[in-house]
Amino acid sequence: MMINISEAKISATRIMSRCDELAKITCATSGITRVYLSKEHLIVNQLVGKWMKEAGMSVWQDAVGNICGRYDSNIIDTPAVILGSHLDTVKNAGRYDGILGVLSAIEIVYWMNKKHIVLKLAIEVIGFCDEEGTRFGITLLGSRGITGTWERKWLNYTDNNGITIHQAMINFGLHSNNIKNAARNIKDIVAYIELHIEQGPCLEKENLSLGVVNSINAASRFNCRFIGESGHAGTVPMSYRKDALTAFAEWIIFLEYTTVKQYPQLVATVGTVICKPGTTNVIPGTVDFSLDIRGPQDILIESLSSIVFEKAKQIAKCRNLFFEYKEFYKTSETICDINLQKVLCYAVKKVQGSNLLLSSGAGHDAVAISKCWPVGMLFIRNYRGISHHPKELVNINDIILALQAYSESVCKFIEIKTNNLM
Ligand code: GLV
Ligand code: MN
Ligand code: MN
Protein backbone atom coordinates (compact mmCIF):
# COMPACT_ATOMS: atom_id res chain seq x y z
CA MET A 1 0.00 0.00 0.00
CA MET A 2 1.03 3.51 -0.67
CA ILE A 3 -1.03 6.22 0.94
CA ASN A 4 -2.50 8.11 -2.00
CA ILE A 5 -2.25 11.84 -2.35
CA SER A 6 -5.71 12.71 -1.03
CA GLU A 7 -5.20 10.43 1.98
CA ALA A 8 -1.77 11.94 2.57
CA LYS A 9 -3.33 15.42 2.52
CA ILE A 10 -5.82 14.43 5.21
CA SER A 11 -3.01 12.95 7.30
CA ALA A 12 -0.63 15.85 6.82
CA THR A 13 -3.30 18.32 7.93
CA ARG A 14 -4.00 16.19 11.00
CA ILE A 15 -0.28 15.93 11.76
CA MET A 16 0.19 19.70 11.58
CA SER A 17 -2.70 20.33 13.94
CA ARG A 18 -1.50 17.60 16.33
CA CYS A 19 2.00 19.12 16.36
CA ASP A 20 0.34 22.38 17.40
CA GLU A 21 -1.66 20.57 20.06
CA LEU A 22 1.43 18.87 21.50
CA ALA A 23 3.31 22.17 21.42
CA LYS A 24 0.92 23.40 24.11
CA ILE A 25 2.08 20.68 26.49
CA THR A 26 5.10 22.40 27.96
CA CYS A 27 6.48 23.22 31.37
CA ALA A 28 7.65 26.64 30.17
CA THR A 29 5.53 29.78 30.22
CA SER A 30 6.72 30.54 26.72
CA GLY A 31 8.13 28.08 24.20
CA ILE A 32 8.10 24.29 24.25
CA THR A 33 10.05 22.39 26.88
CA ARG A 34 8.97 18.84 27.65
CA VAL A 35 11.34 16.62 29.53
CA TYR A 36 11.59 13.03 30.66
CA LEU A 37 9.43 11.83 33.56
CA SER A 38 7.66 15.16 33.90
CA LYS A 39 3.96 15.90 34.22
CA GLU A 40 4.04 16.94 30.56
CA HIS A 41 5.59 13.62 29.56
CA LEU A 42 2.65 11.83 31.19
CA ILE A 43 0.07 14.06 29.47
CA VAL A 44 1.69 13.63 26.06
CA ASN A 45 1.84 9.85 26.47
CA GLN A 46 -1.87 9.78 27.30
CA LEU A 47 -2.78 11.89 24.30
CA VAL A 48 -0.52 10.11 21.82
CA GLY A 49 -1.68 6.76 23.27
CA LYS A 50 -5.27 7.82 22.56
CA TRP A 51 -4.36 8.70 18.95
CA MET A 52 -2.60 5.35 18.56
CA LYS A 53 -5.72 3.55 19.81
CA GLU A 54 -7.95 5.51 17.43
CA ALA A 55 -5.61 4.54 14.58
CA GLY A 56 -6.22 0.86 15.38
CA MET A 57 -3.37 -0.09 17.68
CA SER A 58 -3.25 -1.82 21.05
CA VAL A 59 -1.40 0.56 23.33
CA TRP A 60 0.83 0.40 26.39
CA GLN A 61 3.38 2.51 28.21
CA ASP A 62 6.56 0.52 28.77
CA ALA A 63 8.74 0.31 31.87
CA VAL A 64 10.93 3.32 31.01
CA GLY A 65 8.06 5.55 29.85
CA ASN A 66 7.91 5.02 26.08
CA ILE A 67 4.40 5.05 24.65
CA CYS A 68 3.98 2.04 22.35
CA GLY A 69 1.26 0.89 19.96
CA ARG A 70 1.00 -2.36 18.01
CA TYR A 71 -0.88 -3.09 14.82
CA ASP A 72 -0.89 -6.84 14.64
CA SER A 73 -0.56 -9.14 11.72
CA ASN A 74 -2.85 -12.17 11.46
CA ILE A 75 0.16 -14.37 12.22
CA ILE A 76 0.44 -14.91 15.96
CA ASP A 77 3.61 -13.64 17.64
CA THR A 78 5.02 -12.37 14.39
CA PRO A 79 7.92 -9.93 14.77
CA ALA A 80 7.39 -6.22 14.26
CA VAL A 81 8.80 -3.40 12.21
CA ILE A 82 9.21 -0.46 14.58
CA LEU A 83 8.31 3.05 13.41
CA GLY A 84 8.53 6.21 15.46
CA SER A 85 10.74 8.84 16.99
CA HIS A 86 10.77 10.88 20.21
CA LEU A 87 8.23 13.04 22.06
CA ASP A 88 10.57 14.85 24.46
CA THR A 89 12.20 18.17 23.57
CA VAL A 90 15.18 20.36 24.25
CA LYS A 91 14.61 23.64 26.13
CA ASN A 92 12.66 26.18 24.10
CA ALA A 93 12.28 23.69 21.27
CA GLY A 94 10.58 23.54 17.92
CA ARG A 95 7.38 21.56 17.48
CA TYR A 96 8.50 19.00 14.88
CA ASP A 97 11.81 17.52 16.07
CA GLY A 98 10.92 13.90 16.87
CA ILE A 99 7.21 14.57 17.16
CA LEU A 100 6.65 14.65 13.40
CA GLY A 101 8.10 11.13 13.13
CA VAL A 102 5.78 9.68 15.78
CA LEU A 103 2.67 11.31 14.35
CA SER A 104 3.55 10.26 10.78
CA ALA A 105 4.00 6.66 11.91
CA ILE A 106 0.54 6.74 13.51
CA GLU A 107 -0.89 7.90 10.17
CA ILE A 108 0.68 4.94 8.35
CA VAL A 109 -1.14 2.57 10.70
CA TYR A 110 -4.33 4.64 10.51
CA TRP A 111 -4.63 4.01 6.75
CA MET A 112 -3.66 0.36 7.01
CA ASN A 113 -6.34 -0.19 9.60
CA LYS A 114 -8.92 1.84 7.68
CA LYS A 115 -8.26 -0.20 4.54
CA HIS A 116 -8.23 -3.47 6.55
CA ILE A 117 -4.77 -4.28 5.30
CA VAL A 118 -3.27 -7.31 6.96
CA LEU A 119 0.49 -7.59 6.83
CA LYS A 120 2.80 -10.50 7.42
CA LEU A 121 4.69 -8.54 10.07
CA ALA A 122 3.28 -6.47 12.88
CA ILE A 123 3.90 -2.74 12.96
CA GLU A 124 4.71 -1.04 16.22
CA VAL A 125 4.86 2.70 16.71
CA ILE A 126 6.98 4.00 19.57
CA GLY A 127 6.95 7.52 20.95
CA PHE A 128 10.34 7.49 22.65
CA CYS A 129 10.37 9.27 25.98
CA ASP A 130 13.87 10.72 26.16
CA GLU A 131 16.04 11.23 23.14
CA GLU A 132 17.36 14.68 24.01
CA GLY A 133 18.63 14.10 27.53
CA THR A 134 17.43 17.57 28.52
CA ARG A 135 16.59 16.76 32.14
CA PHE A 136 19.29 14.35 33.29
CA GLY A 137 22.05 14.89 30.73
CA ILE A 138 21.95 11.27 29.52
CA THR A 139 20.47 10.87 26.07
CA LEU A 140 18.47 8.11 24.38
CA LEU A 141 17.00 6.76 27.61
CA GLY A 142 13.83 5.66 25.79
CA SER A 143 15.48 3.75 22.96
CA ARG A 144 18.13 2.36 25.31
CA GLY A 145 15.28 0.96 27.40
CA ILE A 146 14.16 -1.01 24.33
CA THR A 147 17.68 -2.33 23.69
CA GLY A 148 18.17 -3.24 27.37
CA THR A 149 21.30 -1.10 27.75
CA TRP A 150 20.35 1.05 30.74
CA GLU A 151 23.11 1.31 33.31
CA ARG A 152 22.12 1.11 37.00
CA LYS A 153 24.41 4.01 37.86
CA TRP A 154 22.23 6.36 35.83
CA LEU A 155 19.51 6.02 38.47
CA ASN A 156 21.54 8.30 40.73
CA TYR A 157 21.93 11.05 38.14
CA THR A 158 20.05 14.17 39.15
CA ASP A 159 18.20 16.99 37.44
CA ASN A 160 18.76 20.67 38.27
CA ASN A 161 16.60 20.30 41.38
CA GLY A 162 18.58 17.36 42.72
CA ILE A 163 15.88 14.79 41.87
CA THR A 164 17.37 11.44 40.87
CA ILE A 165 16.13 9.40 37.94
CA HIS A 166 15.16 6.74 40.48
CA GLN A 167 12.91 9.18 42.35
CA ALA A 168 11.56 10.79 39.19
CA MET A 169 10.49 7.34 37.98
CA ILE A 170 8.55 6.78 41.20
CA ASN A 171 6.92 10.21 40.93
CA PHE A 172 5.93 9.36 37.36
CA GLY A 173 4.41 6.00 38.36
CA LEU A 174 7.25 3.73 37.22
CA HIS A 175 9.86 1.84 39.21
CA SER A 176 13.53 1.36 38.43
CA ASN A 177 13.30 -2.35 39.39
CA ASN A 178 11.21 -2.87 36.27
CA ILE A 179 13.47 -1.15 33.72
CA LYS A 180 14.60 -4.47 32.28
CA ASN A 181 10.99 -5.21 31.28
CA ALA A 182 11.22 -2.50 28.62
CA ALA A 183 13.95 -4.47 26.80
CA ARG A 184 12.74 -6.31 23.72
CA ASN A 185 13.83 -9.71 22.45
CA ILE A 186 16.01 -9.53 19.39
CA LYS A 187 13.77 -11.92 17.48
CA ASP A 188 10.63 -9.83 18.12
CA ILE A 189 11.80 -6.89 16.03
CA VAL A 190 13.07 -6.93 12.46
CA ALA A 191 13.91 -3.29 11.80
CA TYR A 192 13.40 0.32 12.81
CA ILE A 193 12.41 3.01 10.31
CA GLU A 194 12.36 6.62 11.53
CA LEU A 195 11.09 9.72 9.79
CA HIS A 196 12.65 12.95 11.08
CA ILE A 197 13.17 16.54 10.02
CA GLU A 198 16.63 17.08 8.55
CA GLN A 199 17.61 19.82 11.01
CA GLY A 200 20.14 21.02 8.47
CA PRO A 201 20.20 22.90 5.15
CA CYS A 202 21.08 20.20 2.57
CA LEU A 203 17.62 19.28 1.28
CA GLU A 204 16.59 22.91 1.02
CA LYS A 205 19.75 23.70 -0.91
CA GLU A 206 18.98 20.91 -3.37
CA ASN A 207 15.36 21.99 -3.61
CA LEU A 208 14.19 18.58 -2.44
CA SER A 209 11.49 17.63 0.07
CA LEU A 210 12.96 14.27 1.05
CA GLY A 211 16.25 12.47 1.43
CA VAL A 212 17.54 9.18 2.77
CA VAL A 213 20.07 8.95 5.55
CA ASN A 214 23.12 6.77 5.01
CA SER A 215 24.81 7.41 8.37
CA ILE A 216 24.53 9.30 11.62
CA ASN A 217 27.59 11.13 12.84
CA ALA A 218 29.69 10.03 15.79
CA ALA A 219 29.52 12.18 18.91
CA SER A 220 31.38 12.72 22.17
CA ARG A 221 30.24 14.84 25.08
CA PHE A 222 32.26 16.05 28.03
CA ASN A 223 31.75 17.87 31.31
CA CYS A 224 34.66 20.26 31.80
CA ARG A 225 35.83 22.66 34.51
CA PHE A 226 38.36 25.45 34.95
CA ILE A 227 39.14 25.84 38.64
CA GLY A 228 40.62 29.16 39.76
CA GLU A 229 39.99 31.20 42.85
CA SER A 230 37.15 33.56 43.53
CA GLY A 231 37.98 36.86 45.19
CA HIS A 232 37.03 40.48 45.66
CA ALA A 233 36.38 42.22 42.32
CA GLY A 234 37.48 45.54 43.76
CA THR A 235 40.65 44.63 45.60
CA VAL A 236 42.52 41.82 43.85
CA PRO A 237 44.93 43.32 41.26
CA MET A 238 44.60 41.91 37.75
CA SER A 239 48.00 40.21 37.92
CA TYR A 240 47.07 38.31 41.11
CA ARG A 241 43.89 36.84 39.81
CA LYS A 242 42.99 33.23 39.08
CA ASP A 243 39.96 34.05 37.00
CA ALA A 244 38.33 30.88 35.66
CA LEU A 245 36.16 32.76 33.18
CA THR A 246 38.98 34.54 31.37
CA ALA A 247 40.76 31.19 31.07
CA PHE A 248 37.61 29.73 29.59
CA ALA A 249 37.28 32.70 27.21
CA GLU A 250 40.82 32.18 25.95
CA TRP A 251 40.14 28.49 25.48
CA ILE A 252 36.79 28.67 23.67
CA ILE A 253 38.25 30.89 20.94
CA PHE A 254 41.00 28.33 20.48
CA LEU A 255 38.35 25.59 20.24
CA GLU A 256 36.46 27.43 17.52
CA TYR A 257 39.57 28.38 15.58
CA THR A 258 41.09 24.89 15.70
CA THR A 259 37.86 23.20 14.69
CA VAL A 260 37.29 25.50 11.72
CA LYS A 261 40.90 25.50 10.51
CA GLN A 262 42.04 21.96 11.21
CA TYR A 263 38.88 19.83 11.46
CA PRO A 264 36.39 21.15 8.90
CA GLN A 265 34.49 17.84 9.00
CA LEU A 266 33.71 18.34 12.71
CA VAL A 267 31.48 20.62 14.74
CA ALA A 268 32.21 21.57 18.34
CA THR A 269 29.77 23.26 20.70
CA VAL A 270 29.88 24.56 24.26
CA GLY A 271 26.17 24.57 25.08
CA THR A 272 26.19 25.16 28.83
CA VAL A 273 28.40 27.42 30.92
CA ILE A 274 28.03 27.89 34.65
CA CYS A 275 30.24 30.56 36.11
CA LYS A 276 30.53 30.46 39.92
CA PRO A 277 29.88 32.10 42.23
CA GLY A 278 28.14 34.21 39.57
CA THR A 279 28.07 37.56 41.31
CA THR A 280 28.92 40.97 39.83
CA ASN A 281 31.52 41.87 42.44
CA VAL A 282 33.25 38.47 42.74
CA ILE A 283 36.01 37.12 40.48
CA PRO A 284 34.80 33.86 38.87
CA GLY A 285 36.29 30.95 40.81
CA THR A 286 35.10 28.07 38.66
CA VAL A 287 33.58 27.63 35.23
CA ASP A 288 31.73 24.41 34.49
CA PHE A 289 30.85 23.80 30.88
CA SER A 290 29.80 21.12 28.44
CA LEU A 291 31.56 20.25 25.21
CA ASP A 292 29.83 18.41 22.36
CA ILE A 293 31.96 17.34 19.37
CA ARG A 294 30.49 15.53 16.38
CA GLY A 295 31.58 14.30 13.01
CA PRO A 296 31.86 11.35 10.69
CA GLN A 297 34.74 9.53 12.38
CA ASP A 298 35.63 8.73 16.00
CA ILE A 299 39.31 9.19 15.28
CA LEU A 300 38.86 12.82 14.23
CA ILE A 301 36.82 13.56 17.33
CA GLU A 302 39.47 11.93 19.51
CA SER A 303 42.17 13.94 17.81
CA LEU A 304 40.42 17.31 18.18
CA SER A 305 39.41 16.62 21.77
CA SER A 306 42.95 15.71 22.79
CA ILE A 307 44.31 18.92 21.20
CA VAL A 308 41.75 21.17 22.87
CA PHE A 309 42.12 19.52 26.28
CA GLU A 310 45.90 19.83 26.05
CA LYS A 311 45.44 23.52 25.30
CA ALA A 312 43.05 23.89 28.24
CA LYS A 313 45.68 22.41 30.57
CA GLN A 314 48.31 24.79 29.17
CA ILE A 315 46.07 27.82 29.63
CA ALA A 316 45.24 26.70 33.17
CA LYS A 317 48.94 26.25 33.97
CA CYS A 318 49.94 29.67 32.66
CA ARG A 319 47.21 31.27 34.76
CA ASN A 320 47.80 29.13 37.88
CA LEU A 321 44.49 27.36 37.53
CA PHE A 322 43.43 23.73 37.16
CA PHE A 323 41.51 22.13 34.33
CA GLU A 324 39.60 18.84 34.44
CA TYR A 325 37.19 17.02 32.14
CA LYS A 326 35.23 13.81 31.90
CA GLU A 327 33.58 12.22 28.92
CA PHE A 328 29.98 11.30 29.70
CA TYR A 329 28.67 10.25 26.31
CA LYS A 330 30.20 8.68 23.25
CA THR A 331 28.71 7.10 20.16
CA SER A 332 30.47 5.93 17.06
CA GLU A 333 29.18 6.60 13.58
CA THR A 334 25.93 4.73 12.92
CA ILE A 335 25.58 3.20 9.49
CA CYS A 336 22.02 2.86 8.27
CA ASP A 337 21.15 -0.60 7.01
CA ILE A 338 21.96 -0.87 3.32
CA ASN A 339 18.77 -2.78 2.45
CA LEU A 340 16.62 -0.22 4.24
CA GLN A 341 18.52 2.55 2.45
CA LYS A 342 17.67 0.88 -0.88
CA VAL A 343 13.99 0.53 -0.01
CA LEU A 344 13.79 4.13 1.19
CA CYS A 345 15.66 5.45 -1.89
CA TYR A 346 13.30 3.55 -4.17
CA ALA A 347 10.25 5.03 -2.42
CA VAL A 348 11.68 8.56 -2.36
CA LYS A 349 12.51 8.40 -6.07
CA LYS A 350 9.01 7.14 -6.76
CA VAL A 351 7.31 10.12 -5.09
CA GLN A 352 9.92 12.81 -5.70
CA GLY A 353 11.60 11.79 -8.95
CA SER A 354 15.07 11.95 -7.44
CA ASN A 355 16.78 11.29 -4.14
CA LEU A 356 19.56 12.69 -2.00
CA LEU A 357 21.59 10.43 0.26
CA LEU A 358 22.86 12.39 3.24
CA SER A 359 24.43 11.89 6.61
CA SER A 360 22.85 13.13 9.80
CA GLY A 361 24.68 15.60 11.97
CA ALA A 362 22.05 15.22 14.69
CA GLY A 363 21.67 12.19 16.92
CA HIS A 364 18.52 10.08 16.79
CA ASP A 365 16.83 7.15 18.52
CA ALA A 366 18.09 5.12 15.55
CA VAL A 367 21.60 5.38 17.05
CA ALA A 368 20.58 3.31 20.08
CA ILE A 369 18.29 0.96 18.17
CA SER A 370 21.05 0.17 15.64
CA LYS A 371 22.93 -1.71 18.37
CA CYS A 372 20.29 -4.46 18.10
CA TRP A 373 18.40 -4.07 14.84
CA PRO A 374 18.83 -2.66 11.32
CA VAL A 375 17.80 0.99 11.10
CA GLY A 376 16.70 3.25 8.27
CA MET A 377 15.90 6.96 8.27
CA LEU A 378 13.91 9.22 6.01
CA PHE A 379 14.63 12.95 6.23
CA ILE A 380 12.18 15.72 5.47
CA ARG A 381 13.25 19.26 4.66
CA ASN A 382 12.69 21.94 7.27
CA TYR A 383 12.84 25.67 6.78
CA ARG A 384 16.47 26.89 6.60
CA GLY A 385 17.43 23.78 8.56
CA ILE A 386 16.52 25.63 11.75
CA SER A 387 15.99 23.23 14.64
CA HIS A 388 16.24 23.13 18.43
CA HIS A 389 14.62 26.52 18.08
CA PRO A 390 11.01 27.78 18.19
CA LYS A 391 11.27 28.81 14.51
CA GLU A 392 11.52 25.18 13.39
CA LEU A 393 9.12 24.84 10.45
CA VAL A 394 7.98 22.15 8.03
CA ASN A 395 6.00 22.59 4.83
CA ILE A 396 2.74 20.60 4.65
CA ASN A 397 3.44 19.64 1.02
CA ASP A 398 6.68 18.01 2.12
CA ILE A 399 4.78 16.04 4.75
CA ILE A 400 2.36 14.84 2.06
CA LEU A 401 5.26 13.47 0.02
CA ALA A 402 6.96 12.07 3.11
CA LEU A 403 3.87 10.10 4.13
CA GLN A 404 3.66 8.51 0.70
CA ALA A 405 7.34 7.60 0.67
CA TYR A 406 7.25 6.38 4.27
CA SER A 407 4.22 4.13 3.76
CA GLU A 408 5.63 2.83 0.49
CA SER A 409 8.93 1.98 2.20
CA VAL A 410 7.31 0.19 5.09
CA CYS A 411 5.10 -1.93 2.85
CA LYS A 412 7.90 -2.71 0.40
CA PHE A 413 10.23 -3.64 3.23
CA ILE A 414 7.67 -6.02 4.74
CA GLU A 415 7.01 -7.57 1.34
CA ILE A 416 10.68 -8.15 0.64
CA LYS A 417 11.45 -9.33 4.16
CA THR A 418 8.62 -11.83 4.32
CA ASN A 419 9.49 -13.20 0.90
CA ASN A 420 12.97 -13.84 2.20
CA LEU A 421 14.50 -11.60 -0.39
CA MET A 422 16.55 -9.66 2.12
C1 GLV B 1 19.62 15.43 19.41
O1 GLV B 1 18.75 16.13 18.93
C2 GLV B 1 20.98 15.76 19.22
O2 GLV B 1 21.53 15.44 18.15
O3 GLV B 1 21.57 16.41 20.09
MN1 MN C 1 16.57 17.20 18.92
MN1 MN D 1 15.13 14.57 17.20
Side-chain angles (χ1 to χ4, degrees), residues 310-328:
E310 205 40 56
K311 181 71 175 178
K313 284 182 205 156
Q314 253 177 41
I315 292 171
K317 197 166 168 208
C318 284
R319 292 169 170 267
N320 273 322
L321 273 67
F322 296 100
F323 173 77
E324 57 189 35
Y325 69 94
K326 194 169 171 30
E327 186 172 55
F328 69 90

Side-chain angles (χ1 to χ4, degrees), residues 131-132 221 294 362-363 388:
E131 190 272 343
E132 306 283 10
R221 291 182 180 169
R294 309 200 200 188
H388 286 183

Side-chain angles (χ1 to χ4, degrees), residues 86-107:
H86 60 97
L87 293 168
D88 68 313
T89 74
V90 291
K91 279 186 200 162
N92 199 23
R95 63 190 59 199
Y96 304 103
D97 175 3
I99 292 124
L100 184 73
V102 182
L103 299 181
S104 301
I106 293 174
E107 293 301 320

